[in-house]
């Protein structure tokens, strides 16, 4: 089945610095790559996603890049703020008859220091 | 607002007991999922259902069973709970008419097995 590896497991930055989280996936049929943010004690929520016909997507301070040849995608957060502190999960979808099923990475704990 | 709800929110039980976790949604989505979250392991899929008559095992289904009683309800059962099933459990839904898309998570159930 699909395997998604996420790095780093923890990331500590100063306010206004940039943060980058990277994921690799194994299924060449995957074509949907979402990122979820989970604040402490809350449910995961989608913050941005990208499909395989696009190489980069931006939404204000957040961007995601995709390299299908290398099978990796990354989340970039610029001008980080303390409220960005959370656990971030990447995911990729399955192909074939399980199309739409997501496999998640292990998560990255991001801490933004004021 | 349309939402995903889970009951109970917290449960403490003893080894060997049968436990049922319930999920309901008012989003009108066909697809429902059960995940467990453990520190450092991300969100791992237990079971998923693409419609009322469709039930599929995820990557960690051993020791669990599910029931899809209606489009809006998807229950997870632990037939004989064991301590290593202590975890945070999330239900999620998605509406994927044409392909993979956002999953909407419930608030989670924290289960402790003593």
């Amino acid at each position: 089945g699909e395997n998604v590896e996420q790095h780093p497991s923890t990331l500590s930055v100063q306010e206004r610095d940039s943060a980058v989280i990277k994921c690799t996936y194994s299924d060449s049929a995957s074509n949907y790559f979402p990122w979820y943010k989970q604040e402490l004690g809350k449910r995961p929520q989608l913050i941005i996603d990208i499909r395989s016909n696009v190489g980069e997507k931006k939404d204000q301070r957040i961007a995601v890049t995709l390299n299908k040849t290398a099978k990796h995608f990354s989340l970039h957060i610029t001008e980080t703020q303390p409220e960005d502190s959370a656990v971030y999960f990447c995911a990729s979808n399955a192909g074939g008859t399980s199309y739409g099923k997501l496999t998640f990475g292990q998560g990255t704990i991001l801490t933004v220091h004021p | 607002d349309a939402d995903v709800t889970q009951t109970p929110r917290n449960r403490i039980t003893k080894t060997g007991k049968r436990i049922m976790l319930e999920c309901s949604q008012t989003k009108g989505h066909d697809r429902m999922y059960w995940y467990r979250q453990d520190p450092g392991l991300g969100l791992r899929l237990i079971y998923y259902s693409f419609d009322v008559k469709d039930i599929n095992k995820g990557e960690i289904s051993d020791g669990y069973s599910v029931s899809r009683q209606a489009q809006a309800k998807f229950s997870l059962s632990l037939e004989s709970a064991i301590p290593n099933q202590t975890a945070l459990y999330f239900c999620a839904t998605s509406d994927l008419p044409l392909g993979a898309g956002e999953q909407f998570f419930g608030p989670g159930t924290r289960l402790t097995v003593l």
Side-chain angles (χ1 to χ4, degrees):
Chain A
E2 170 73 304
N3 185 48
V4 178
E5 295 289 332
Q6 182 173 346
H7 298 281
S9 56
T10 61
L11 181 57
S12 182
V13 300
Q14 291 296 126
E15 187 174 3
R16 289 183 292 279
D17 284 351
S18 294
V20 180
I21 303 170
K22 299 181 179 181
C23 289
T24 60
Y25 62 98
S26 60
D27 188 350
S28 58
S30 296
N31 62 2
Y32 175 67
F33 308 92
W35 286 89
Y36 285 79
K37 176 183 180 181
Q38 184 182 25
E39 296 177 353
L40 189 62
K42 301 289 182 63
R43 68 187 80 183
Q45 291 190 300
L46 181 74
I47 54 171
I48 195 168
D49 56 15
I50 192 168
R51 298 185 187 273
S52 61
N53 57 346
V54 176
E56 182 176 4
K57 183 177 179 181
K58 288 185 178 180
D59 183 2
Q60 299 182 346
R61 296 185 297 107
I62 294 172
V64 57
T65 58
L66 171 64
N67 183 328
K68 284 220 76 181
T69 302
K71 295 183 186 174
H72 65 72
F73 57 110
S74 299
L75 177 71
H76 305 253
I77 306 174
T78 58
E79 291 290 319
T80 55
Q81 301 167 5
E83 53 264 39
D84 294 329
S85 296
V87 181
Y88 292 81
F89 294 100
C90 64
S92 70
N93 71 311
T97 57
S98 298
Y99 192 67
K101 181 172 73 74
L102 295 178
T103 298
F104 286 84
Q106 298 86 344
T108 296
I109 301 172
L110 174 63
T111 304
V112 180
H113 299 282
Chain B
D1 283 343
D3 201 6
V4 183
T5 58
Q6 293 183 232
T7 55
R9 296 293 312 279
N10 289 281
R11 180 73 183 267
I12 300 174
T13 190
K14 294 182 178 180
T15 298
K17 294 291 188 180
R18 184 178 188 276
I19 297 296
M20 180 179 286
L21 309 183
E22 298 186 343
C23 176
S24 294
Q25 52 112 348
T26 56
K27 289 190 169 291
H29 291 170
D30 286 327
R31 301 186 175 200
M32 300 187 73
Y33 311 81
W34 275 105
Y35 295 92
R36 69 175 276 176
Q37 182 176 18
D38 300 276
L41 295 177
L43 293 157
R44 291 183 293 167
L45 185 62
I46 306 172
Y47 271 95
Y48 61 104
S49 171
F50 282 175
D51 64 45
V52 175
K53 298 180 181 179
D54 176 75
I55 302 289
N56 304 281
K57 292 182 177 181
E59 58 184 300
I60 55 163
S61 59
D62 286 350
Y64 301 94
S65 62
V66 291
S67 173
R68 184 81 185 266
Q69 300 95 325
Q71 185 205 38
K73 295 183 182 298
F74 192 35
S75 300
L76 176 72
S77 294
L78 287 68
E79 298 301 327
S80 179
I82 56 176
N84 76 359
Q85 291 178 312
T86 293
L88 182 57
Y89 290 84
F90 285 102
C91 173
T93 73
S94 66
D95 182 15
L96 309 176
L98 297 176
E102 181 176 3
Q103 291 189 11
F104 297 85
F105 286 81
T109 295
R110 186 165 296 280
L111 177 66
T112 303
V113 183
L114 302 176

